[in-house]
Amino acid sequence: MVGRFYEEFPINLKTGEANLTQIYLQEALDFIKRQQAAHRPFFLHWAIDATHAPVYASRPFLGTSQRGRYGDAVREIDDSVGKILHLLRDLSIAENTFVFFTSDNGAALISAPRQGGSNGPFLCGKQTTFEGGMREPAIAWWPGHIPAGQVSHQLGSIMDLFTTSLSLAGLEPPRDRAIDGLDLLPTMLQGRLTDRPVFYYRGNALMAVTRGQYKAHFWTWTNSWEEFRQGVDFCPGQNVSGVTTHSQEEHTKLPLVFHLGRDPGERFPLSIASTEYLDALRQITPVVRQHQEALVPGQPQLNVCNRAVMNWAPPGCEKLGKCLMPPESVPEKCSWPH
């Protein structure tokens, strides 16, 4: 991120050329070699960002894909991951190294197709709590431990990597706080599936929750009419009446419920008069209640008004909602859904 903010590693916005991925790659390779030479275990968080607008690639990869500059960036990342895995094999530590590849959010459709990816059948993109904004691919690699070519339908979260890493190191999670992450090792090593809810937040607001195949939306919102009229569209080409709204729509009394197995694109909410809808709410309601009763608000770690972090508020409290404020400083009249 230093390169993006301070231009120490320039990105040529006209040609898309930048050498930053190669710099990241060399840092990673050198770090692994140093740790191995010193016989030290290591943790490497390799967070490349070439596919984040403005996308970029180094000269050998520019113009090499059929997907434009975005495809060039993906090819360079793919090549770089390959070089890291190849080094692990060369150093004979592949069978003692766990690798997990994923993303922090769905594709940013506001910059697609030239500067962004695709979310396939899923609704909307980054910055929303629809599936297109929240679902990411994930690949786990651990030769000799994780069988190659298997697919798991376990619902996971990046929060799970904390708990899973502790398990890999033979450590117990801290017991002085609630840990939301799930240990994914039983899933990856033994194919075990764990039914667990996942809560979708946008700022301080609990927007939705999934339980099993069902997802209930308590609030729906893409982005404001003001932004939309200026050409900022989080859901280009996707318009689901009453779902992809540009005003903050509340559904806390009668949540919008989708069956993600039959309708992964969240286009056809269940009829509130159906038995299936009532059965889904019976599964979801107690889970949400337990979550809200046990939730302890954390202290904000950013003391600034940051639209990228907090861009949601109940109607009438929009200005407060764009600031990260300690809970005790928020007026009672501006109570969030949770």
Side-chain angles (χ1 to χ4, degrees):
M1 296 308 292
V2 168
R4 291 189 179 277
F5 285 110
Y6 300 107
E7 298 180 356
E8 293 184 13
F9 309 106
I11 300 170
N12 187 319
L13 298 180
K14 185 176 181 180
T15 66
E17 182 179 351
N19 207 39
L20 193 49
T21 298
Q22 292 303 310
I23 295 172
Y24 282 146
L25 172 62
Q26 196 58 51
E27 287 286 334
L29 298 177
D30 291 345
F31 170 75
I32 293 171
K33 291 174 184 176
R34 287 197 306 271
Q35 295 301 109
Q36 173 63 5
H39 303 288
R40 288 195 300 259
F42 62 88
F43 171 82
L44 171 64
H45 178 206
W46 195 66
I48 66 282
D49 69 344
T51 52
H52 187 295
V55 299
Y56 59 85
S58 62
R59 186 171 298 175
F61 291 91
L62 281 176
T64 63
S65 83
Q66 298 182 38
R67 183 60 169 76
R69 196 177 297 173
Y70 183 84
D72 298 343
V74 171
R75 290 193 60 164
E76 185 167 16
I77 290 172
D78 181 47
D79 180 80
S80 299
V81 171
K83 285 184 169 64
I84 291 173
L85 299 184
H86 188 74
L87 176 63
L88 296 175
R89 290 191 180 100
D90 282 351
L91 296 176
S92 300
I93 57 174
E95 294 190 358
N96 199 33
T97 306
F98 174 79
V99 179
F100 198 88
F101 180 89
T102 189
S103 181
D104 54 345
N105 45 251
L109 301 185
I110 54 173
S111 53
R114 296 184 62 188
Q115 299 264 335
S118 166
N119 294 317
F122 304 118
L123 186 62
C124 298
K126 174 184 175 180
Q127 296 164 300
T128 76
T129 48
F130 299 112
E131 292 301 283
M134 305 299 284
R135 286 210 193 195
E136 304 88 34
I139 302 172
W141 185 89
W142 191 9
H145 300 271
I146 299 176
Q150 66 177 351
V151 176
S152 173
H153 294 280
Q154 175 66 50
L155 190 59
S157 161
I158 289 180
M159 288 186 289
D160 298 338
L161 295 182
F162 171 70
T163 316
T164 303
S165 297
L166 290 180
S167 180
L168 283 163
L171 300 173
E172 292 289 329
R175 298 183 182 276
D176 62 341
R177 70 204 73 185
I179 301 295
D180 294 305
L182 180 72
D183 179 5
L184 294 176
L185 281 188
T187 295
M188 294 183 284
L189 300 180
Q190 301 152 18
R192 190 183 306 170
L193 295 179
T194 302
D195 184 21
R196 53 95 71 92
V198 171
F199 302 96
Y200 295 64
Y201 277 86
R202 188 164 175 174
N204 279 347
L206 177 60
M207 302 289 283
V209 63
T210 54
R211 181 66 191 269
Q213 292 283 352
Y214 294 105
K215 180 177 180 182
H217 289 268
F218 307 115
W219 293 82
T220 52
W221 188 45
T222 55
N223 61 329
S224 68
W225 278 113
E226 178 185 5
E227 287 182 329
F228 183 69
R229 291 186 183 109
Q230 293 172 355
V232 178
D233 190 354
F234 293 169
C235 313
Q238 297 175 308
N239 180 24
V240 182
S241 179
V243 178
T244 54
T245 57
H246 293 286
S247 55
Q248 297 157 9
E249 300 294 330
E250 182 177 2
H251 311 281
T252 52
K253 297 190 185 303
L254 288 173
L256 295 180
V257 179
F258 298 88
H259 188 286
L260 296 179
R262 296 193 304 265
D263 180 24
E266 297 171 283
R267 285 162 172 79
F268 308 102
L270 300 181
S271 168
I272 61 174
S274 68
T275 302
E276 184 180 13
Y277 179 86
L278 297 175
D279 288 343
L281 281 191
R282 290 190 189 100
Q283 297 178 44
I284 291 170
T285 301
V287 169
V288 173
R289 184 183 303 117
Q290 180 183 9
H291 168 70
Q292 291 176 328
E293 289 174 352
L295 188 67
V296 178
Q299 285 288 64
Q301 294 180 317
L302 298 174
N303 192 25
V304 293
C305 292
N306 186 337
R307 290 176 64 91
V309 176
M310 181 72 78
N311 200 22
W312 191 95
C317 303
E318 287 82 0
K319 291 183 179 179
L320 283 173
K322 292 170 185 172
C323 292
L324 289 174
M325 304 177 65
E328 64 271 13
S329 65
V330 177
E332 289 185 12
K333 68 177 182 177
C334 293
S335 59
W336 273 258
H338 70 285

